[in-house]
Structure formats: C-alpha cells, structure tokens
Amino acid sequence: MEERIYKVMKGAGATNIAMGVITMVLGIATGILLIITGAKLTAGKSKILL
C-alpha cells in the first residue's frame, strides 16, 4: 500500500516540476515579447503624435 502511495506522489511531483518549467518558459517568452512591443511603440511615438 505504501509503495503505491509513493508512486502516485512521484508522478504528481514530476507533473508539478514539468508544469513549473513550462510556466516559466511561457512567462519569460511573454515578457520578452511585451518588452519588444513596448520598445517599438516608444520608438514610433513621434509618428503617432503629430
């Protein structure tokens, strides 16, 4: 019985680590895209405001 519980806990731990890595990668990618978009908007501000 205890061995079964440890297997379930191992699977849950592995899933949590995988989801954490995926979340970090998506967060970093989103942040980079937001910085690039903001920089483009700031650089083109003079074209928008006449």
Side-chain angles (χ1 to χ4, degrees):
M1 183 69 177
E2 289 180 16
E3 187 176 323
R4 188 175 181 192
I5 292 171
Y6 285 123
K7 285 184 180 181
V8 170
M9 289 174 62
K10 181 180 174 183
T15 303
N16 286 336
I17 290 172
M19 290 300 291
V21 170
I22 291 170
T23 303
M24 282 178 33
V25 169
L26 287 175
I28 291 170
T30 302
I32 290 171
L33 289 174
L34 287 171
I35 290 170
I36 291 171
T37 305
K40 285 183 180 180
L41 283 172
T42 303
K45 186 171 74 169
S46 62
K47 295 177 185 174
I48 296 172
L49 300 174
L50 298 175

